[in-house]
């Protein structure tokens, strides 16, 4: 009986017989760039701002983009001097983007909902979303707003707040258009956030121009600050660290990269060195903006019985 109670060596402590290999050594931990590449391979980036190429030359299609991009908001913003023909210019951009997507069926797929975004990614395509539309291209008309939505636009850039803006934000909540506050001053930001019931987006955010209190309001709203990624990952990481500290990790996102050939691995590796978790990086890549869009869609479905604005 004493023999049964004696300690016996376990398999892990039994020495290997002569000539037999021992247990395999555990693999070395991945370095930050390798971890960043693994995260981005599984969780591609949703970019908040993509410009239409100057030329749609077939030799240059599909347009150059970062390898880690999984979805893109295609800008419909009218340029300086185009205000008088803002609606026409916007419609031309919508038509051009649709033609671009149609010419690259193996690379791009038009998406109107978060479900279609996911389906495009699952099919190996980059989801193309229409918007934001310039505020001047609305012509202070809720009917124009609804017409853009019917054409597939899902984001409108609000840059000033007036009586029409108040009603427009409510109508955008009702029909499922995201409010983009890029370029808006602090008073407009505060006013819009006080009205909207859906999370706002800043597709071209400049958090360095916003005080901590405004970032806190964006965090309370569940807004997403989509930051431009430059060739200085440390400087961009500093900006994202501040947004995370003042608004929350649920409010960070990516606008675009100024160096598509380099992509997003250097930034994500730098954030890993700073202690960002994999979950926070997934949020930065796409989960935060997808959550904001999904909440906008859900709010619209619950509000469809409301009458349309005049």
């Amino acid at each position: 009986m004493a023999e049964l109670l004696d300690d016996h060596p376990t398999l892990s402590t039994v020495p290997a017989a002569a000539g037999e290999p021992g247990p395999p050594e555990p693999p070395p931990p991945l370095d930050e760039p390798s971890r960043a590449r693994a995260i981005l391979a599984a969780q591609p980036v949703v970019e908040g701002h993509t410009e239409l190429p100057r030329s749609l030359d077939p030799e240059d299609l599909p347009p150059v983009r970062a390898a880690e991009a999984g979805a893109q908001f295609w800008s419909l913003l009218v340029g300086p001097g185009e205000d008088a023909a803002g609606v026409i210019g916007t419609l031309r951009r919508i038509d051009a983007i649709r033609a671009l997507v149609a010419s690259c069926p193996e690379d791009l797929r038009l998406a109107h909902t978060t479900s279609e975004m996911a389906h495009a990614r699952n099919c190996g395509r980059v989801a193309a979303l229409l918007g934001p539309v310039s505020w001047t291209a609305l012509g202070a008309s809720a009917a124009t707003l609804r017409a853009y939505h019917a054409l597939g636009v899902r984001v409108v850039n609000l840059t000033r707040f007036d009586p029409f803006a108040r009603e427009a934000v409510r109508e955008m909540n009702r029909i499922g258009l995201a409010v983009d506050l890029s370029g808006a001053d602090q008073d407009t930001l505060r006013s819009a956030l006080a009205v909207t019931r859906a999370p706002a987006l800043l597709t071209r955010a400049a958090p360095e121009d916003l005080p901590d209190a405004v970032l806190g309001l964006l965090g309370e709203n569940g807004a997403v600050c989509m930051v431009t990624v430059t060739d200085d990952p440390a400087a961009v990481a500093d900006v994202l660290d501040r947004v995370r500290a003042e608004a929350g990790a649920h409010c960070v996102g990516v606008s675009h990269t100024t160096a598509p050939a380099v992509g997003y691995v250097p930034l994500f590796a730098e954030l890993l060195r700073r202690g960002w978790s994999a979950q926070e990086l997934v949020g930065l890549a796409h989960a935060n903006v997808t959550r904001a869009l999904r909440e906008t869609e859900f709010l619209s479905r619950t509000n469809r019985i409301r009458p349309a604005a005049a």
Side-chain angles (χ1 to χ4, degrees), residues 8 11 29 41 47 63 69 115 149 165 172 213 264-265 273 296 309:
H8 291 279
L11 291 176
E47 296 181 329
S115 295
H149 180 269
M172 289 164 69
Y264 298 104
V265 170
R273 294 187 193 98
T296 301

Side-chain angles (χ1 to χ4, degrees), residues 251-276:
C251 289
V252 294
V254 171
S255 177
H256 61 283
T257 174
T258 59
V262 176
Y264 298 104
V265 170
L267 172 64
F268 277 57
E270 174 64 22
L271 294 173
L272 284 169
R273 294 187 193 98
R274 297 183 180 210
W276 283 52

